[in-house]
């Protein structure tokens, strides 16, 4: 059994994109009792390892979704801060008789002159 598993891992490893060898679980998913001579302790240990790793994968999937949502929220917050800096700068520099389009173009083309990025940090 172990030789077959080792040969299978040896042949599958080059096809995988990971440097780590694939994890293989040797287990019996039958509801019938084990036959005499079967490696009962090995099969039960592998079944427990499979269930533990499945539970861990589910937990990590939830953690990954939370981390992804957090990264997205940070990006949205940073975008909102940038928009706020641009709008504040625009409102501070526009005048009643000035060309609003020209002011907005200058702010967009030369934000460093208006210290836009300093407001973000």
């Amino acid at each position: 059994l172990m030789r077959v598993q080792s040969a299978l891992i040896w042949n599958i490893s080059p096809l995988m994109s990971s440097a780590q060898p694939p994890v293989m679980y040797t287990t019996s998913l039958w509801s019938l009792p084990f036959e005499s001579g079967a490696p009962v302790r090995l099969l039960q240990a592998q079944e427990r390892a499979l269930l533990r790793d499945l539970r861990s994968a589910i937990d990590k999937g939830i953690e990954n979704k939370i981390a992804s949502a957090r990264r997205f929220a940070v990006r949205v917050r940073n975008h909102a801060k940038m928009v706020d800096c641009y709008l504040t700068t625009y409102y501070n520099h526009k005048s009643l008789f000035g060309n609003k389009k020209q002011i907005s173009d200058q702010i967009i083309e030369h934000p460093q002159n208006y210290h836009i990025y300093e407001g973000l940090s």
Side-chain angles (χ1 to χ4, degrees):
L1 182 63
M2 298 310 274
R3 277 188 276 161
V4 170
Q5 187 176 11
S6 297
L8 188 58
I9 289 174
W10 180 264
N11 289 319
I12 288 178
S13 290
L15 303 174
M16 305 297 280
S17 61
S18 173
Q20 298 280 341
V23 177
M24 294 189 62
Y25 301 97
T26 306
T27 186
S28 173
L29 301 174
W30 289 38
S31 59
L32 302 173
F34 294 109
E35 294 183 6
S36 62
V40 176
R41 288 189 348 207
L42 171 68
L43 295 173
Q44 289 174 342
Q46 289 284 304
E47 184 177 349
R48 284 191 301 273
L50 172 64
L51 294 174
R52 181 186 64 239
D53 289 348
L54 282 174
R55 190 176 321 111
S56 174
I58 291 169
D59 291 343
K60 285 181 182 176
I62 291 170
E63 289 173 9
N64 288 342
K65 286 183 181 180
I66 291 170
S68 177
R70 184 180 184 282
R71 283 191 304 271
F72 183 72
V74 167
R75 290 176 66 190
V76 168
R77 181 194 66 201
N78 291 342
H79 182 74
K81 283 183 177 181
M82 188 179 338
V83 169
D84 183 58
C85 284
Y86 273 101
L87 287 175
T88 302
T89 303
Y90 172 74
Y91 290 132
N92 289 339
H93 286 87
K94 77 172 187 163
S95 63
L96 189 60
F97 300 109
N99 186 347
K100 295 177 184 175
K101 173 78 170 131
Q102 184 181 11
I103 292 171
S104 65
D105 288 343
Q106 286 177 354
I107 293 171
I108 291 170
E109 291 174 12
H110 305 288
Q112 66 277 5
N113 295 344
Y114 297 92
H115 309 289
I116 297 287
Y117 299 119
E118 293 172 11
L120 292 175
S121 60

